[in-house]
Amino acid sequence: MSVDNLSSTDTSFGKAKPSAVQSRRAKKIVPFCLTFIICFATWFVLSGRFDFFHIALGIIACTIVASLSGSILISRRGLENLPGQWLGFILYIPWLLYQVLLANIHVMYLVFHPRMIELIDPRIISFKSKLKKPMSLFIFANSITLTPGTITVFVSITGEYTVHVIDEKSGNSLPGEMEERVARLMGE
Amino acid sequence: MIWPLDIIILTIVIICGIAAISIKDLLGAAIMFGAYSFMMCLLWSVMGAVDVAFTEASVGAGVSTVFFVAAVFRTTRRTRD
Amino acid sequence: MEEQFPIIIIAVPLIAALLITALWWFDKRVCLPISIVAGLTSLVASVGLLLQVLSVGILEYRLGGWAPPFGIVYRIDHLNSLIIVAVSLVSLLNLIGSRTIVEKEFQEKVGAFYALYLLFTAGLLGILMTGDAFNLYVLLEIASLTGYALIGLGRRRAPLSGLNYLFMGTIGASLYLLGVGYLYLMTGSLNMADIAQILPTILPSKVIVLAFILCLSGLFIKMALFPLHGWLPNAYTYSPSVVSSLVAPLTTKVMIYAMFRVMLTIFSIDFSLNSVALRLPILWLAIAAIVMGSIMALAQKRLKKMLAFIVVAEVGYMVGGFWLGNRAGMSGAVLHIINDAAMTLCVFMAAGAIVYKTEDDRLSSLKGVFRTMPVSMTAMVVGGLSLIGVPPTCGFFSKWYLISGGMAAGHYGFVAALLFSSLVNTVLFFRLFEIGYFEPFPSGHAHEQQGHTDARNHSSSIAEAPLDVLVPLVATAVLVIVLGIYSGEIVARVIQFAIPAVIG
Amino acid sequence: MRALGLATVFCFGAILFYISFDFPGWGDENSPASQHVSPYYIEHTMDDTSVPNIVTAILADYRGYDTLFETAVIFSAGLACFFLLRIPERQAPPARFYRHLATGITFRIEKGGRLPEDTDEFERIDSVWVPYDVIIGMTCRLVVPFIQLFALYVIAHGHHSPGGGFQGGVIFGAAIILFAISNNLRRTLKRMSEKTSALLGSLGVLIYAGTGILCMVLGAGFLNYSALASLLGVDPVSARSHGILIVEIGVGIAVTAVMVWIYYNLSSAGRQDEGL
Amino acid sequence: MTLVAAIFIVLGLFFFTGGSIGILRFPDFFSRLHPAGKLDSMGLLMTLAGMALYTARDLSLPAILTALKILLIVVFVFITSPTATHAILDAGVRAGLGPWTAPKKKGTR
Amino acid sequence: METFFLYAAIYLCLIMLLSLYRAVFGPTVLDRMIGVNAIGSKTTALLIMIGIIYQRVEMFVDIALAYACLNFIAVLAASRFFQKRKGLYDESH
Amino acid sequence: MEALGSLILAKYNYWAVIALLLIGLYAMITKKNLVKKIIGMNIFQTAIILFYVSIGSKKGATIPIITHGHGDASHAVHSVEYINPLPHVLMLTAIVVSVATLGVALALAMKVYSQYGTLEEDEIREKIMESEPV
């Protein structure tokens, strides 16, 4: 058993550091506020009504959600450099969409190819990624799943990827450019 | 009500229903039952019963399938019919 | 305050159930007091309601303040106000006697038990009062759902029979719902009185006939009329005895009431009895139920199962009484609903007390039980005599009405079935008394040692169930006799107004 | 048995089929069902309750009593699952599994033995143990708050769009179930214990029934929300609208709690230590 | 705007078709996941984007908000769909389903 | 334009039949899950199409969103089954 | 031919209800597996729900949510424009009831399983015969 089996929810364990009460409270308040703001923005999109009554309801709802699951949404480790990450993420999306489109055309080609059986050569490969943060692991894994010919089978928390590839060509390009981009995006 | 859609969805519903009771594996049956609920939800939104569709979407697709899977998980998947 | 009685009867048990679920996590002792207070409030309100109905006539309570076809309405007349009193009284009596057995059988789940108990009662009371066909379904489901749960926690075969009950009960309720759907399709209304007004305008209609049959067959399943009684015996036998003495007196009777309500209020009595050629078939079903129930009861070797089959036979009495279609038969059936609730409660509570002590309900193990449990057995005797139909007890009077109704209708098969069933009940109960009266004599140990005799003496000394079981039990036995004495009064002052005037 | 069943079923079906020819046509606007009661609802809901969603208005107001018992049915289902399945704590499971965090060694402790729960060195794990999945874990962390927010939105906007207490409650419950599936049951129980769910369940129904009683105390009939007007300081029509909202919130709370409660009991067969 | 929306929807339907046929044609469970996971989410993206465009065609505030909601679904699906695909695949691997391998190739490719 | 959406919806339903084939006849439970998941994503699109046909999209969007959420939960629960219960076929063999 | 077509168009929904009812009932009568029976029960209930919703549908009408919001009460609402909302309400209740029944049924089935180790009715019956020969 290696360390990778540890659950990553950093709230529940890890050595209880003797920190001041105030900073702990601050650590709770920051996720709360962030969640509240995000939720409130979402609420406006969802609600579509801007009278006082509905906004008040929205505030109550966001407070409930933020107090219930603020610690679920916002990890304490991921707080540094947040605006940069969001900007990077927005820049990452078009590239990802482009890749997804490529992936789809590739799969489409396979699907409609009359001799599809001969083209594909499914296999499972694994490689080690240099990424460390759970969030970047997650983004990378989902990007792998969305892009040509590959689906993530399993990611361990240390960054070992097991990937199912549909043909050899798709597997060769991993980790490749995408990892670089994700790393840059998450500031690793 | 949009009848051409309605007929097709009704057909799918009936297929799903028959499949759900004839699959010889309880987990498969539970999953098929989930699909049956999806179709029911669609059927109701086709008929304009949005609230019923919403309820069915939340109940059928989410909770009742999870209940079935949980129950099958705690009992057995084996079935002889 | 008076005008709120109908809702108090239901809302108080409902809220008490919620409070119990909440408070039970903090203090385990609050359950029983809260439930008893709730049951008592409900009983007082229902007696008040009965008096009100007697003085004023039919009452109407609009829920949410909406006029009848648009909102839900409670309609209380002579028929249901009487049965409401009976149901809340039975529920309360059983509740008082439940403490010891409940603590023994459910230990950690006492709170949930009482909450389910009160919800069950609230559901049944709601069925009795509602004047809305769909609302009846919802309340039916809450009563059944809690019933399934209560039955399912018994021993041995209880979960399986609970599940069977659930399947049958759901089919029954769904058929009823389908029937209401057909009615709604043709009339566009859900209010019983409103449907009844619309129906004559569309009447020669196959759909309505099918709706009638569907509603009835759904309720037949729920009330366990003979060919559909499959779920009942096991469910009542294996359920915990507190539960069987709650469910057995109430469920079937309330369902019979619901049948009567459907026949009487939704479809007119004329339509139900004459337009559809169902009268004879259902009468024969009732006769079959009486005969088969009695015969099956004769074949049983377990006390509770025997009683359960007697319940099946009793359902036949009441259904047959209604479908005789004359005043005497219907009065007998309504009277029998009340009487049967009382006497079934009496025998099931006595059986519960006996099973609590002997841990075994095989008839053969009840030897000497008269000696050890005199009070319980006396109550059992009273209940048994009432089920047989011996004069001072209430069973006699309702049976008398039923028989005279059968005579008046010229349906001698029904009369014969009733007499046959009384005969079988006699055999059954006298067999029981005989077993209970004789001491257990050690077979094959004719010459035993002194020590064993001591032990036998010890075992044959009084070992009665605890007092809180006995008090309601005795009260029930007294009730059985009192109901018998006042049954003429009840018929004259209440029941004869409950039967529609068209019935000659 | 099979042949008999088929025969019964086909007889039943044949009767229903035969009768169906006497039905009004499907979607016929002149059918009795669309003529008698329903036009009143459609035409008067706005004036009576000022709720555009007619279904919500009927559900929580015109036929609010049905809905009260519908909530009670759900509540009693939760209670029934608890009553039937719950195995008390003192009946210990066959074995418990712990892992030492530093070394990764797994212990199996039999016969009801257990380690103290609040040490940082050991973690209780499920008997069939699955390594932590980063993808599922992260997705749930991202998604759960939004599902919850969406559920609250559904409850709050039941007046104007489809939805309401029941749907919102189910979705909220599903969010908690999602958390339980993606993490494990014990962690979920730490966030929302069984006691909490039972209390919330009864609280929800109590809000509903209590609103009804409150109306009764204020002098109108049971569930007649227009009596709340004096309390809320609005006119009777909007009092009905507000009453509906209060009731929907009650339903939402009850349904959430009960769904989670049923899931706890079903997925752990009543032991409430290891879930799906 | 309407035309663009229509083009998007047609494209989306095309992807959906590919996904469904792919699910039918591919030889084993693992390879079936490729069309199921990718083409379906792409199809959904396309159709929903098309419908969002169509909804927002008159540029009024409620319409735009509705369109935003539709896009919210897209975002949601793009988070959950790969996860669902991954979960099914992981389940398959843990259930002990070996991947299908190509039958012996004719010569060199 | 509504006719276009109607035809699109009908086409989508027919496509759904193809996925249904996999769901009904899929050799393993996991294949059924793929089929059902595919049906789910098509349903999400279909719901909004129905909304457009009814010209009340804003009412149907909520359903579609709820649907997308809960479909995901069901799939996750079912796959969790396999992660914990190893074995693709039932335990009888 | 024309008449037949319109007849089918007017009735096929009800026929589908009947088909689903029969599927559910058939499963409940003949299947031996308890969970299968529960599935059948649910199909039966949904069929009835479908029946009610079919009653409520109305040609050329829109969903029963009034389009103009608050404060516009003077705008008359015509009942032909909206689908009959009452069956929807009833069916919301019925769906809730069916979920509740499902939960209780599954709980009971799990209890049966923990008692007998199987979900097949005939096997359970055999085990009962073995354990309590009355």
Side-chain angles (χ1 to χ4, degrees):
Chain A
M1 289 283 154
S2 57
V3 202
D4 62 24
N5 297 324
L6 300 185
S7 157
S8 85
T9 310
D10 31 346
T11 54
S12 57
F13 44 81
K15 293 283 190 306
K17 292 182 203 90
S19 53
V21 178
Q22 205 169 0
S23 79
R24 196 179 294 162
R25 191 173 297 154
K27 270 184 183 171
K28 272 201 172 160
I29 277 180
V30 172
F32 179 88
C33 295
L34 269 175
T35 319
F36 186 87
I37 292 165
I38 296 169
C39 283
F40 206 57
T42 322
W43 178 272
F44 271 109
V45 176
L46 284 173
S47 168
R49 284 175 189 277
F50 302 105
D51 52 313
F52 171 73
F53 183 65
H54 285 96
I55 289 177
L57 282 178
I59 290 172
I60 296 169
C62 294
T63 315
I64 293 172
V65 172
S67 57
L68 279 182
S69 38
S71 59
I72 299 177
L73 182 65
I74 309 284
S75 149
R76 277 185 223 159
R77 271 190 227 147
L79 283 180
E80 319 93 46
N81 189 22
L82 208 66
Q85 281 179 26
W86 284 78
L87 196 68
F89 194 68
I90 288 165
L91 290 178
Y92 178 67
I93 285 177
W95 183 81
L96 181 67
L97 280 181
Y98 173 66
Q99 290 293 316
V100 170
L101 197 63
L102 284 186
N104 280 292
I105 290 165
H106 177 70
V107 179
M108 272 314 240
Y109 170 73
L110 283 179
V111 165
F112 287 111
H113 199 282
R115 287 174 290 109
M116 173 262 289
I117 297 284
E118 294 172 17
L119 288 186
I120 63 172
D121 178 20
R123 59 185 59 196
I124 291 181
I125 61 168
S126 54
F127 62 90
K128 177 100 169 71
S129 160
K130 62 181 184 183
L131 298 171
K132 283 185 189 61
K133 289 183 188 173
M135 189 66 193
S136 31
L137 288 176
F138 164 73
I139 292 176
F140 186 37
N142 272 5
S143 309
I144 287 175
T145 305
L146 286 172
T147 43
T150 49
I151 301 181
T152 319
V153 177
F154 187 74
V155 187
S156 73
I157 203 146
T158 46
E160 281 155 16
Y161 280 72
T162 316
V163 176
H164 181 262
V165 292
I166 198 153
D167 53 15
E168 217 163 352
K169 200 174 66 196
S170 319
N172 291 339
S173 61
L174 284 173
E177 189 195 354
M178 193 186 287
E179 189 188 11
E180 291 298 320
R181 277 179 181 264
V182 174
R184 221 181 309 148
L185 156 72
M186 294 301 292
E188 283 190 23
Chain B
M1 52 177 275
I2 309 152
W3 66 265
L5 268 182
D6 195 79
I7 289 183
I8 302 172
I9 296 171
L10 272 176
T11 321
I12 301 179
V13 161
I14 292 175
I15 294 172
C16 282
I18 294 174
I21 65 165
S22 52
I23 288 175
K24 291 198 180 356
D25 174 357
L26 288 183
L27 186 65
I31 291 170
M32 266 333 278
F33 186 69
Y36 174 85
S37 296
F38 293 176
M39 289 300 118
M40 272 294 176
C41 161
L42 211 46
L43 191 57
W44 284 322
S45 51
V46 168
M47 286 194 196
V50 260
D51 278 81
V52 185
F54 206 151
T55 317
E56 184 69 27
S58 50
V59 168
V63 172
S64 74
T65 313
V66 173
F67 284 176
F68 262 118
V69 171
V72 173
F73 177 68
R74 282 293 163 196
T75 56
T76 175
R77 273 168 70 191
R78 189 174 66 91
T79 173
R80 289 197 300 189
D81 52 16
Chain C
M1 195 62 191
E2 282 82 28
E3 70 271 17
Q4 307 286 4
F5 274 159
I7 202 65
I8 288 175
I9 293 175
I10 293 190
V12 169
L14 177 66
I15 287 178
L18 302 172
L19 282 181
I20 287 172
T21 329
L23 295 180
W24 173 70
W25 296 89
F26 303 104
D27 188 352
K28 314 252 179 217
R29 287 163 305 173
V30 297
C31 312
L32 189 63
I34 294 182
S35 344
I36 288 180
V37 168
L40 210 58
T41 319
S42 187
L43 178 65
V44 168
S46 53
V47 171
L49 192 65
L50 176 64
L51 296 177
Q52 227 175 324
V53 168
L54 286 183
S55 62
V56 189
I58 296 176
L59 293 177
E60 212 174 60
Y61 188 91
R62 295 176 178 183
L63 289 150
W66 297 107
F70 309 113
I72 295 170
V73 70
Y74 271 178
R75 238 179 85 96
I76 296 112
D77 53 14
H78 290 83
L79 176 64
N80 52 12
S81 58
L82 187 65
I83 303 177
I84 288 164
V85 175
V87 167
S88 48
L89 182 64
V90 165
S91 158
L92 179 65
L93 280 175
N94 192 35
L95 190 64
I96 294 171
S98 65
R99 191 181 67 91
T100 328
I101 301 175
V102 168
E103 276 175 7
K104 184 183 161 201
E105 295 223 9
F106 303 117
Q107 292 131 358
E108 269 96 0
K109 299 173 185 169
V110 177
F113 171 80
Y114 282 115
L116 287 173
Y117 189 107
L118 289 175
L119 284 169
F120 178 79
T121 315
L124 290 183
L125 289 170
I127 295 173
L128 293 172
M129 276 189 274
T130 186
D132 191 279
F134 186 79
N135 193 234
L136 181 64
Y137 166 76
V138 178
L139 293 159
L140 199 69
E141 278 293 341
I142 193 169
S144 331
L145 206 65
T146 46
Y148 310 141
L150 287 172
I151 286 171
L153 200 70
R155 291 175 194 173
R156 300 204 302 257
R157 237 188 285 180
L160 186 62
S161 38
L163 195 55
N164 272 333
Y165 180 22
L166 190 146
F167 288 141
M168 293 295 279
T170 309
I171 291 186
S174 302
L175 286 181
Y176 173 77
L177 185 59
L178 191 62
V180 173
Y182 276 40
L183 277 177
Y184 179 67
L185 177 72
M186 295 310 284
T187 63
S189 177
L190 290 166
N191 186 278
M192 290 184 183
D194 197 37
I195 295 175
Q197 265 185 356
I198 299 172
L199 273 184
T201 61
I202 50 170
L203 238 188
S205 157
K206 279 179 276 186
V207 184
I208 297 297
V209 174
L210 187 63
F212 182 60
I213 295 174
L214 283 174
C215 284
L216 275 195
S217 43
L219 291 172
F220 282 160
I221 293 177
K222 281 277 188 188
M223 75 174 76
L225 190 67
F226 164 61
L228 308 169
H229 72 285
W231 57 268
L232 186 141
N234 281 340
Y236 286 8
T237 309
Y238 297 101
S239 57
S241 49
V242 183
V243 175
S244 51
S245 61
L246 171 73
V247 177
L250 298 184
T251 316
T252 50
K253 275 91 220 170
V254 172
M255 292 310 146
I256 288 163
Y257 161 80
M259 178 192 81
F260 198 38
R261 179 57 73 199
V262 166
M263 286 163 59
L264 200 69
T265 309
I266 300 183
F267 307 90
S268 67
I269 194 77
D270 180 53
F271 172 83
S272 321
L273 291 178
N274 303 327
S275 303
V276 192
L278 279 177
R279 190 163 158 192
L280 275 182
I282 289 179
L283 262 178
W284 281 109
L285 276 187
I287 292 170
I290 298 172
V291 174
M292 292 309 289
S294 304
I295 292 176
M296 299 288 267
L298 209 52
Q300 298 308 320
K301 294 193 174 62
R302 284 174 181 275
L303 178 58
K304 276 171 81 176
K305 204 159 198 175
M306 182 188 100
L307 296 178
F309 274 108
I310 292 179
V311 171
V312 174
E314 301 278 327
V315 170
Y317 285 24
M318 287 169 266
V319 173
F322 279 130
W323 284 87
L324 283 175
N326 56 24
R327 184 160 277 275
M330 285 197 182
S331 320
V334 175
L335 186 61
H336 201 77
I337 288 181
I338 316 238
N339 292 348
D340 195 43
M343 55 206 198
T344 320
L345 176 69
C346 186
V347 289
F348 269 94
M349 270 177 91
I354 292 167
V355 173
Y356 172 74
K357 269 294 168 195
T358 58
E359 299 270 334
D360 190 0
D361 68 336
R362 266 173 295 184
L363 287 175
S364 55
S365 69
L366 297 180
K367 285 176 182 149
V369 77
F370 256 113
R371 181 74 56 84
T372 52
M373 309 182 73
V375 183
S376 311
M377 272 318 271
T378 314
M380 178 68 101
V381 168
V382 174
L385 289 181
S386 180
L387 280 169
I388 294 165
V390 178
T393 53
C394 58
F396 169 75
F397 296 95
S398 45
K399 212 170 265 187
W400 177 256
Y401 276 106
L402 287 173
I403 288 177
S404 57
M407 296 288 228
H411 204 286
Y412 295 102
F414 184 64
V415 178
L418 279 179
L419 293 176
F420 173 74
S421 156
S422 303
L423 196 70
V424 172
N425 281 359
T426 319
V427 174
L428 282 173
F429 279 98
F430 276 90
R431 194 178 66 180
L432 178 65
F433 302 152
E434 190 189 350
I435 294 170
Y437 193 73
F438 288 116
E439 289 187 26
F441 60 92
S443 57
H445 293 277
H447 307 286
E448 66 229 292
Q449 295 163 356
Q450 191 63 33
H452 275 208
T453 323
D454 277 352
R456 207 183 66 197
N457 280 344
H458 181 73
S459 74
S460 63
S461 63
I462 288 178
E464 191 49 270
L467 199 63
D468 57 347
V469 179
L470 289 185
V471 170
L473 181 56
V474 171
T476 316
V478 172
L479 181 73
V480 167
I481 295 171
V482 169
L483 271 179
I485 294 167
Y486 286 99
S487 58
E489 194 92 344
I490 294 173
V491 173
R493 292 193 52 189
V494 190
I495 294 179
Q496 68 155 323
F497 302 107
I499 313 296
V502 264
I503 307 290
Chain D
M1 189 63 197
R2 183 156 298 205
L4 188 69
L6 264 180
T8 324
V9 163
F10 272 113
C11 286
F12 184 59
I15 295 169
L16 291 182
F17 184 73
Y18 171 65
I19 296 294
S20 74
F21 286 99
D22 282 13
F23 283 180
W26 179 62
D28 183 4
E29 63 209 40
N30 293 318
S31 70
S34 310
Q35 285 299 315
H36 181 52
V37 177
S38 75
Y40 174 86
Y41 289 133
I42 296 171
E43 282 159 13
H44 293 82
T45 308
M46 268 319 264
D47 303 338
D48 283 348
T49 61
S50 85
V51 174
N53 186 349
I54 308 170
V55 176
T56 307
I58 302 176
L59 187 78
D61 196 353
Y62 291 97
R63 298 186 70 88
Y65 189 67
D66 266 354
T67 313
L68 170 62
F69 274 92
E70 163 197 326
T71 322
V73 165
I74 270 287
F75 174 72
S76 52
L79 208 56
C81 281
F82 167 81
F83 186 63
L84 289 169
L85 285 178
R86 185 77 170 98
I87 296 169
E89 288 280 317
R90 58 186 171 81
Q91 289 181 25
R96 287 191 177 90
F97 294 85
Y98 291 89
R99 192 177 49 230
H100 189 230
L101 289 179
T103 58
I105 300 169
T106 307
F107 295 93
R108 175 193 164 95
I109 300 179
E110 290 202 31
K111 296 194 180 110
R114 64 201 303 179
L115 292 173
E117 293 282 332
D118 49 352
T119 50
D120 284 336
E121 275 149 39
F122 292 92
E123 184 204 17
R124 171 111 191 261
I125 54 173
D126 287 355
S127 53
V128 182
W129 173 74
V130 181
Y132 180 79
D133 195 324
V134 183
I135 303 177
I136 294 178
M138 273 315 284
T139 309
C140 293
R141 283 173 64 172
L142 286 179
V143 158
V144 164
F146 289 106
I147 299 183
Q148 285 174 343
L149 183 73
F150 177 62
L152 293 177
Y153 155 75
V154 169
I155 296 178
H157 285 68
H159 289 38
H160 304 281
S161 53
F166 183 72
Q167 292 92 333
V170 170
I171 295 172
F172 204 101
I176 296 173
I177 291 174
L178 175 61
F179 186 80
I181 288 174
S182 66
N183 285 281
N184 60 40
L185 197 64
R186 286 181 302 281
R187 198 166 291 162
T188 320
L189 277 167
K190 263 182 207 149
R191 283 180 175 266
M192 180 172 175
S193 69
E194 191 192 14
K195 185 174 162 183
T196 318
S197 54
L199 289 182
L200 282 180
S202 49
L203 174 74
V205 192
L206 211 55
I207 289 177
Y208 202 142
T211 312
I213 296 283
L214 187 65
C215 300
M216 208 166 95
V217 171
L218 289 173
F222 189 68
L223 289 175
N224 191 345
Y225 307 130
S226 57
L228 298 174
S230 57
L231 213 65
L232 297 170
V234 285
D235 58 310
V237 172
S238 23
R240 285 196 175 273
S241 163
H242 287 53
I244 290 173
L245 182 64
I246 296 171
V247 159
E248 295 270 21
I249 289 170
V251 175
I253 293 174
V255 171
T256 306
V258 169
M259 287 298 158
V260 175
W261 200 9
I262 294 179
Y263 173 77
Y264 284 166
N265 280 318
L266 282 182
S267 70
S268 64
R271 290 197 180 276
Q272 305 209 346
D273 50 357
E274 296 175 5
L276 186 62
Chain E
M1 201 82 147
T2 320
L3 192 68
V4 177
I7 290 169
F8 263 109
I9 290 169
V10 169
L11 268 177
L13 289 180
F14 182 59
F15 280 120
F16 268 137
T17 319
S20 298
I21 293 175
I23 291 178
L24 287 185
R25 277 194 72 199
F26 274 98
D28 82 322
F29 156 74
F30 292 101
S31 45
R32 273 174 208 144
L33 266 171
H34 286 265
K38 294 192 185 78
L39 292 177
D40 271 14
S41 42
M42 194 61 192
L44 200 61
L45 170 73
M46 288 289 187
T47 38
L48 289 189
M51 284 186 283
L53 279 178
Y54 179 76
T55 313
R57 68 192 183 283
D58 58 352
L59 293 177
S60 66
L61 183 64
I64 288 175
L65 278 173
T66 312
L68 274 181
K69 265 195 207 175
I70 296 178
L71 291 180
L72 204 64
I73 300 177
V74 174
V75 173
F76 194 86
V77 167
F78 260 72
I79 295 174
T80 55
S81 168
T83 313
T85 312
H86 152 76
I88 298 176
L89 187 56
D90 194 30
V93 171
R94 281 179 199 284
L97 207 64
W100 178 89
T101 46
K104 61 180 167 66
K105 305 265 165 62
K106 293 170 196 141
T108 54
R109 186 148 54 113
Chain F
M1 197 62 189
E2 261 73 48
T3 14
F4 168 75
F5 277 107
L6 183 61
Y7 284 119
I10 291 171
Y11 181 71
L12 211 50
C13 278
L14 293 176
I15 293 293
M16 213 185 269
L17 275 172
L18 293 179
S19 307
L20 194 67
Y21 176 84
R22 188 49 72 203
V24 174
F25 296 103
T28 65
V29 178
L30 288 161
D31 289 303
R32 293 184 210 284
M33 272 164 65
I34 296 176
V36 172
N37 198 14
I39 292 178
S41 59
K42 289 176 185 61
T43 310
T44 315
L46 203 48
L47 275 171
I48 296 183
M49 276 184 191
I50 294 169
I52 291 181
I53 296 170
Y54 267 108
Q55 298 177 326
R56 302 288 289 272
V57 196
E58 67 277 12
M59 301 300 167
F60 285 77
V61 171
D62 293 346
I63 307 177
L65 191 47
Y67 197 89
C69 301
L70 294 159
N71 185 21
F72 170 64
I73 295 176
V75 168
L76 216 56
S79 59
R80 203 73 177 162
F81 186 100
F82 286 103
Q83 294 178 344
K84 291 216 165 181
R85 278 269 183 99
K86 295 175 182 166
L88 193 59
Y89 303 98
D90 59 46
E91 303 89 38
S92 59
H93 60 262
Chain G
M1 202 58 216
E2 191 86 337
L4 185 69
S6 66
L7 178 74
I8 290 174
L9 211 56
K11 295 288 174 352
Y12 72 89
N13 219 304
Y14 297 121
W15 295 342
V17 172
I18 295 170
L20 287 175
L21 271 178
L22 297 193
I23 291 170
L25 202 60
Y26 174 76
M28 288 187 76
I29 292 177
T30 56
K31 298 287 172 185
K32 295 270 188 290
N33 190 289
L34 295 176
V35 174
K36 276 285 175 66
K37 282 192 170 201
I38 296 173
I39 291 177
M41 182 182 89
N42 250 309
I43 292 177
F44 193 72
Q45 285 172 324
T46 17
I48 292 172
I49 298 171
L50 176 57
F51 176 67
Y52 271 79
V53 176
S54 315
I55 294 175
S57 62
K58 212 185 271 184
K59 271 200 191 73
T62 184
I63 57 177
I65 297 171
I66 293 169
T67 36
H68 49 276
H70 284 285
D72 200 9
S74 59
H75 187 293
V77 181
H78 299 294
S79 62
V80 278
E81 287 169 7
Y82 295 95
I83 293 169
N84 183 356
L86 186 56
H88 302 179
V89 177
L90 307 180
M91 286 313 105
L92 280 182
T93 311
I95 289 179
V96 176
V97 167
S98 76
V99 179
T101 320
L102 173 71
V104 177
L106 287 177
L108 277 167
M110 282 170 75
K111 219 167 152 48
V112 170
Y113 180 80
S114 69
Q115 208 172 357
Y116 301 108
T118 174
L119 284 174
E120 304 286 322
E121 252 187 351
D122 36 1
E123 291 173 13
I124 293 173
R125 205 164 290 139
E126 279 168 25
K127 292 206 173 170
I128 287 176
M129 287 301 160
E130 282 169 23
S131 62
E132 20 179 320
V134 173

